[in-house]
Amino acid sequence: MQASVAKDATTLGWLMAITFADGSVRRFNSFGAAAFPFGGHDYAGWPGFQVSGLRETNGSEPPTVDIDRGLSGQGLITFTEAVTGLVSGRPVELIVVDFVSGASHVPASKWRIGQVSTTREGNASFELVSLERRDRQLVLSTFEPGCQHRFGDSGCGVDLVPLTVDVVVVSSADANTVVISGATQADDYYNLGAIKFTSGQNAGLAYDIRDWALSTGMLKLFSPLKRPLAAGDAAQLRPGCDKSEGAAGCGRYNNLTRRLGFSDLPDDKISIPAVEQMPDTDQSSTGWGGGYGGGGSWG
């Protein structure tokens, strides 16, 4: 590879693999080959992509890579997928390759897609952000009246497995409404919870729940669906927690002894400086990715 990266090298290119929420991986090359074989996979190049910018920083901000590629109604990445956010946040593998000799180098950073912009002409720009460098930043510890634990984590201790039910989509009148069958809990039980789809076009995606009505089997979502639903799509349903001591929080789950909250704070929130932290950068977004205060997130 050393000879390949000499300053006068002309046979270097990039390979990019994007992992989607349903576990599928889509692969591209930057040098136009219709299908470049590498590592047992084919990397498509028509349309492929091009690297339009590389930014290294002094460490205060993460390095980024700017990617440009064409989109269409069909293909490995469609215009609809880019516009509706299905690409945003997805993990990416970048490989530098000599497309003549086959020598390769994998940059040390792990990447995810950040900001995505599209044009009416069917082009898109993707910003890839380095996770390792992004997470090496000064973190503030935050204290607020609600419980500090994430619902179902080791600190919380609530076992979410017996609370999870399998359901089936009956219909969807609009992007924020889902009618399901298979759930039998009373009205509002799943408020602040989450629904994760396991089949159909939304497979692997999870959404926070704003309201649940048993009589109609209707869920109202905080955020609109990113893809259409079809009758018969399968999903899993979990309740949430409002982080309080009451009937929608720790009181519901008989978990007051493990609640880590600061109910007597004089203000809504207090932040204090903390030491530099290195969060885990290998977080899978195929889990329950809701986020209403962490109450209904699927982790």
Side-chain angles (χ1 to χ4, degrees):
M1 189 66 183
Q2 185 172 358
S4 300
V5 297
K7 64 180 181 180
D8 57 347
T10 59
T11 59
L12 282 183
W14 292 84
L15 303 178
M16 177 174 66
I18 303 174
T19 302
F20 279 68
D22 62 1
S24 63
V25 181
R26 307 183 194 179
R27 298 175 172 88
F28 310 90
N29 72 68
S30 68
F31 35 86
F36 181 78
F38 181 85
H41 302 285
D42 286 337
Y43 288 75
W46 192 262
F49 70 98
Q50 66 179 25
V51 176
S52 57
L54 290 165
R55 290 195 299 276
E56 273 290 345
T57 69
N58 61 3
S60 59
E61 295 181 359
T64 57
V65 179
D66 293 329
I67 300 291
D68 294 329
R69 65 164 276 116
L71 300 170
S72 64
Q74 298 178 341
L76 287 179
I77 294 181
T78 67
F79 187 80
T80 300
E81 287 173 328
V83 169
T84 56
L86 285 178
V87 182
S88 301
R90 305 312 312 159
V92 174
E93 181 183 28
L94 282 177
I95 304 171
V96 182
V97 65
D98 182 330
F99 53 81
V100 173
S101 70
S104 64
H105 170 70
V106 178
S109 289
K110 295 180 181 178
W111 306 88
R112 283 190 188 273
I113 295 178
Q115 183 175 354
V116 177
S117 59
T118 57
T119 68
R120 295 186 179 215
E121 292 74 26
N123 296 315
S125 295
F126 304 94
E127 180 188 54
L128 306 187
V129 181
S130 166
L131 288 185
E132 285 96 337
R133 291 283 292 278
R134 183 195 69 182
D135 288 333
R136 290 190 183 101
Q137 55 186 324
L138 186 65
V139 178
L140 293 179
S141 291
T142 301
F143 301 87
E144 52 190 280
C147 183
Q148 310 299 293
H149 293 312
R150 180 185 175 93
F151 184 50
D153 68 13
S154 59
C156 166
V158 173
D159 184 1
L160 298 180
V161 173
L163 301 176
T164 303
V165 296
D166 294 321
V167 297
V168 176
V169 173
V170 175
S171 63
S172 177
D174 57 66
N176 287 87
T177 305
V178 183
V179 176
I180 60 171
S181 63
T184 59
Q185 296 288 355
D187 288 356
D188 301 329
Y189 179 82
Y190 292 107
N191 293 5
L192 305 186
I195 182 170
K196 179 183 177 182
F197 295 96
T198 56
S199 70
Q201 295 189 54
N202 283 277
L205 299 177
Y207 300 88
D208 288 334
I209 298 168
R210 179 166 58 86
D211 186 67
W212 158 247
L214 174 62
S215 60
T216 58
M218 183 179 294
L219 296 169
K220 288 291 186 178
L221 308 178
F222 278 101
S223 300
L225 294 161
K226 293 182 177 180
R227 299 298 299 269
L229 286 176
D233 285 353
Q236 291 182 311
L237 196 62
R238 283 183 181 174
C241 176
D242 69 358
K243 306 298 188 76
S244 74
E245 299 179 358
C250 292
R252 172 191 289 181
Y253 305 105
N254 297 316
N255 204 40
L256 288 173
T257 58
R258 301 191 68 159
R259 182 176 185 271
L260 180 61
F262 301 90
S263 302
D264 297 324
L265 281 179
D267 299 311
D268 289 340
K269 186 179 295 185
I270 294 176
S271 296
I272 63 172
V275 297
E276 188 178 47
Q277 298 184 14
M278 287 283 292
D280 177 15
T281 59
D282 190 21
Q283 298 177 9
S284 170
S285 52
T286 59
W288 291 65
Y292 187 88
S297 297
W298 207 281

